[in-house]
Amino acid sequence: MSVDAAGRRARARRDAGRRERDLTFTIGNVAFIDGLLVVGAAASWTISQSLWFVLLAGVGIAAATAIALVGAIRGWAWWLVAAVTAGVYVVAGVPLAAPTMITDPATILGAVVGVLTAPVTGWKNLLTLELPIGIYQATLAPILLLILALGVLAHSLALRAPRAWVLAAPTALLLTVFGVAFGSSAVSGAFTVGPWRLTGAWEATVGLAALLVAFGWYLWRSIHSRRSALRAARNANGARLTGRANRTLGTRIALSAGMLVVALLAGVLVAPWAIAGGTRDVIRTAVDPELRVREALTPLADYRTAFTDDRYDQVMFTVSADESVDRIRLATLPFYDGRVMRATDPLTGTAGDTAFTRVPATLTGASGQEVTADFRIGAYAGIWVPTAGDLVSIDFDGSSRAALADGFYYNSDAAMGVELADPGLQDGVAYEQVGRVSGTVRDPGTLTPALSKPAVDPAYVPESLISWIETQDAPTGGAGLAELIQRLRARGLLSHALSIDPATPPTWMGDLGQYTFEPSRAGHSTDRIGALFTALLDKQNEVGGTDDAQLVAASGDDEQFAVAAALIADQLGFPARVVLGTRLSTTDDSLSTCEDGECTSGDLAAWIEVADADGTWTAIDTSPQYAVSLSPDIQQRRDPQNTTEVEPEQADTVLPPEADPADSTNQEEEEPNAPVDLAWLWATLRISGIVVFALLILLLPVFTVLMAKLMRRRARRESPDPLDRVVGGWEEYVDTAVDHGKQPPQAATRTETAEALSTGIGSDGSRLAVLADRSVFAPVPPTDDDGARFWELVDAERARLRDELGWWGRWKARLSLRSFARGVRQLAARTRAGGR
């Protein structure tokens, strides 16, 4: 009795020790894998930089750990773990990854769609949005998906894979790789100790933490595996670990740790000098949003169409802004190719040092006074978005605000925004914009050139422009720039047309008051600008002196004079760009402004911005005057105008046919059939398609397994050799039994295998084994009829195995991968046998 009690106590102690070791094993693996996931989430912090991201990462890591633990304890199949993970992602994704979209009932459906489509389209949003993205729409959904998927897979490998556990750490480290690849190209923080300086302290910390945690996990796992093996050997034959073995293990651990420390110190010391002056290339660096800016016609080429009578008084947009906002920008045109001013470089296709990116929440980096402007679009149409100052944030209003926000792109270098949504800016669109403007107006005469030589290709600069600058005897620097532009404006004459009808003068001409019209050619090519300065030079050479009133010789409007002023600034060493927009206020009475915030087409203007040596931009007006007409001498010497007499077209009057008195019934006017509104149908089809597509993605693994088994069974059944059909039928029977949870013995005959697998009444497993052995070893090969009868028995046995299980068990068997694993083991065994 005492012996039995002692045995029970010994077994109880062993069971308790085993449970303790299993608990230690589980806690250790979970702790290290969760540590790697936390490091990966920290690497992705630069993408969002929001406290909500911390909540999302914490919930995601906790959910992934819970799913993997429950799956390991309950022995869930892989497809069940994947299904639960997908379900948690969909349920938790909407409140966690799209919190701002569930506050408005109109955007809840968009939040659900955004979360469902994030596995396919969410990556583009992360690359095209300006960092940090905050919690903009559903852009956090891909990060949540990665945390859940990688966390569940890494934990499952660590807890359930006896051989593939080594892949758990690389799997978890993929989250860190994601944070680096999809993060910002700029490094953050620096650590300085004397002459040693480490740039990118945050990135270095994250990388070092990931390396140390992964190394620590491998070391702990190796020690745990070794101790488990020694404990098993001790329990089996009483072997014990010697002190020398312990010392050897400690020496190996110390050497490994020492090598790691030396490698880290060497990397930290060498890295600052190795990467000094280099750039950090990430995926974002190589991705350019698919914009239509390069294909869009430069808005300056359409400048004169705004002054036609049918558009002149149309209200393009209304704006209500702070008093410090004096200009509204539509487009910035920094590049000149000899034909037109462009928003993008014709050689590289870029729009300056920064690219067009989407605006998630707010932009940082702009300095100056913060201002707010409320816009409402009227008759304006185009991709160029009216903005005030350097953009900080923009908030569209109305039912289409989500689409407008998705289609809005901004270039911080050019301070210009474009709207690429369909239909985009149209009558009634409203938005609130926060920007920053300089609190002081800088005198152009105080500017300092930033360039030592012109930036525009000399082939695009007219010789007459250079000659005109040389003949002005103007000072250098900002003072010379201010004086040259003042002379250019004073010696030009405003004109928006090549010809007019004197009987009905255009509206713009009537608003100028006492004005004498002079024709002017449109365009701002090198030839057109050259002709402008040629006229100025000819007049100056003829009249002499410096009286601007006597030197008025060139007619044109902002299109020509803004480009001419930009080329002058470039010749003086100032980076210059043409800006198209409107003015809200000005001290120059000759310039048009928007009255009461209503900006009409007639208020459209162009000016230039020049950059000082400190990088700040200053706006300079370039519109020509209209009070003083061309000099009489120039008018008298102008080439005679050869007018063309336009004769009216000759047309014969055709009388209508006489009415038939017999046809006296009143014909009712047929009303046109109203088109059927199918907008709801397309919206329904679109949403249905997205949902179906998401379901297909989630069910793709299920379809793959079912299709693979069907193709395997068909190949076995339809083999041209009857013997192969019989052998394939036997393999199909064994695979079906394995998928239904049965375990065949190793290295057994078919009869022994059938006895182990055949359970229940009416099993034909033994008969299948006998027929298969007879077909293989008989001197006469089986016939086609034998193969067909054998497969009838196989089908009956497969049906019997299915009937033993319920609905849920049958689906588990259909999706089980145990039979494929069995095939891999058999192939590996045959390969080893062939090698021996």
Side-chain angles (χ1 to χ4, degrees), residues 17 29 112 146 218 250 261 363 384 425 431 464 497 510 567 597 701 728 736 774 800 833:
N29 282 285
V112 176
L146 273 182
Y218 279 120
V261 171
L363 297 178
W384 321 97
L425 296 181
Y431 57 92
S464 57
L567 294 178
T736 304
R774 183 182 303 170
R800 186 190 63 79

Side-chain angles (χ1 to χ4, degrees), residues 462-544:
E463 294 183 1
S464 57
L465 181 146
I466 300 176
S467 300
W468 184 82
I469 294 176
E470 294 173 350
T471 58
Q472 301 312 304
D473 194 22
T476 59
L481 175 65
E483 184 171 338
L484 289 175
I485 293 181
Q486 185 276 327
R487 293 182 184 180
L488 177 67
R489 295 182 60 193
R491 299 176 186 182
L493 178 65
L494 182 64
S495 175
H496 292 304
L498 182 62
S499 63
I500 62 171
D501 185 357
T504 56
T507 306
W508 66 264
M509 183 174 168
D511 289 347
L512 297 180
Q514 297 294 327
Y515 169 77
T516 303
F517 172 76
E518 291 293 335
S520 67
R521 182 160 53 95
H524 52 276
S525 64
T526 301
D527 175 72
R528 177 65 179 92
I529 303 302
L532 185 149
F533 282 100
T534 297
L536 293 176
L537 277 174
D538 291 344
K539 182 62 177 177
Q540 185 171 352
N541 293 333
E542 178 182 353
V543 176

Side-chain angles (χ1 to χ4, degrees), residues 146-213:
L146 273 182
I147 292 176
L148 285 173
L150 296 179
V152 170
L153 181 58
H155 279 299
S156 299
L157 289 172
L159 297 174
R160 305 176 64 178
R163 297 180 181 178
W165 64 268
V166 294
L167 299 177
T171 301
L173 286 173
L174 289 177
L175 188 60
T176 304
V177 175
F178 166 82
V180 174
F182 282 77
S184 173
S185 59
V187 294
S188 57
F191 186 75
T192 304
V193 178
W196 181 80
R197 177 180 176 84
L198 175 63
T199 303
W202 173 253
E203 288 78 9
T205 302
V206 170
L208 181 62
L211 179 62
L212 291 177
V213 174

Side-chain angles (χ1 to χ4, degrees), residues 338-607:
R339 295 178 298 166
V340 293
M341 293 294 298
R342 295 180 176 272
T344 57
D345 190 339
L347 298 179
T348 63
T350 60
D353 297 334
T354 58
F356 281 97
T357 56
R358 293 169 61 191
V359 180
T362 58
L363 297 178
T364 58
S367 60
Q369 176 185 352
E370 186 172 294
V371 295
T372 302
D374 293 317
F375 291 88
R376 178 170 292 276
I377 302 300
Y380 173 74
I383 66 172
W384 321 97
V385 179
T387 55
D390 294 323
L391 182 72
V392 174
S393 65
I394 187 169
D395 184 17
F396 291 93
D397 193 12
S399 59
S400 60
R401 61 182 179 180
L404 291 171
D406 287 339
F408 178 76
Y409 291 80
Y410 187 76
N411 184 286
S412 56
D413 183 51
M416 172 178 57
V418 292
E419 179 57 61
L420 303 182
D422 188 13
L425 296 181
Q426 56 183 341
D427 191 6
V429 170
Y431 57 92
E432 180 186 65
Q433 183 236 323
V434 179
R436 292 189 181 274
V437 297
S438 176
T440 58
V441 179
R442 192 166 183 181
D443 182 6
T446 62
L447 301 178
T448 302
L451 303 175
S452 59
K453 62 179 182 179
V456 178
D457 191 332
Y460 304 149
V461 180
E463 294 183 1
S464 57
L465 181 146
I466 300 176
S467 300
W468 184 82
I469 294 176
E470 294 173 350
T471 58
Q472 301 312 304
D473 194 22
T476 59
L481 175 65
E483 184 171 338
L484 289 175
I485 293 181
Q486 185 276 327
R487 293 182 184 180
L488 177 67
R489 295 182 60 193
R491 299 176 186 182
L493 178 65
L494 182 64
S495 175
H496 292 304
L498 182 62
S499 63
I500 62 171
D501 185 357
T504 56
T507 306
W508 66 264
M509 183 174 168
D511 289 347
L512 297 180
Q514 297 294 327
Y515 169 77
T516 303
F517 172 76
E518 291 293 335
S520 67
R521 182 160 53 95
H524 52 276
S525 64
T526 301
D527 175 72
R528 177 65 179 92
I529 303 302
L532 185 149
F533 282 100
T534 297
L536 293 176
L537 277 174
D538 291 344
K539 182 62 177 177
Q540 185 171 352
N541 293 333
E542 178 182 353
V543 176
T546 58
D547 186 0
D548 292 332
Q550 297 297 321
L551 298 177
V552 178
S555 58
D557 53 19
D558 288 5
E559 179 187 359
Q560 293 80 40
F561 281 82
V563 176
L567 294 178
I568 291 175
D570 178 73
Q571 291 298 311
L572 298 182
F574 291 95
R577 60 194 187 187
V578 175
V579 178
L580 190 70
T582 60
R583 304 181 188 91
L584 299 183
S585 62
T586 180
T587 57
D588 189 344
D589 296 336
S590 65
L591 301 177
S592 63
T593 59
C594 302
E595 295 184 5
D596 299 327
E598 290 189 349
C599 298
T600 65
S601 293
D603 296 324
L604 193 64
W607 59 86

Side-chain angles (χ1 to χ4, degrees), residues 691-703:
V691 173
V692 171
F693 183 68
L695 292 176
L696 288 177
I697 293 177
L698 295 177
L699 296 177
L700 182 61
V702 176
F703 292 151

Side-chain angles (χ1 to χ4, degrees), residues 749-807:
T749 64
R750 289 189 177 92
T751 302
E752 294 171 343
T753 301
E755 291 177 354
L757 299 180
S758 299
T759 58
I761 301 175
S763 175
D764 288 331
S766 299
R767 184 180 178 187
L768 286 174
V770 172
L771 293 176
D773 286 340
R774 183 182 303 170
S775 299
V776 173
F777 299 109
V780 179
T783 63
D784 292 337
D785 293 337
D786 295 334
R789 285 193 296 269
F790 190 88
W791 268 95
E792 291 177 358
L793 295 176
V794 171
D795 291 338
E797 193 66 15
R798 291 178 62 244
R800 186 190 63 79
L801 290 172
R802 286 197 303 268
D803 294 338
E804 292 179 357
L805 302 176
W807 178 86

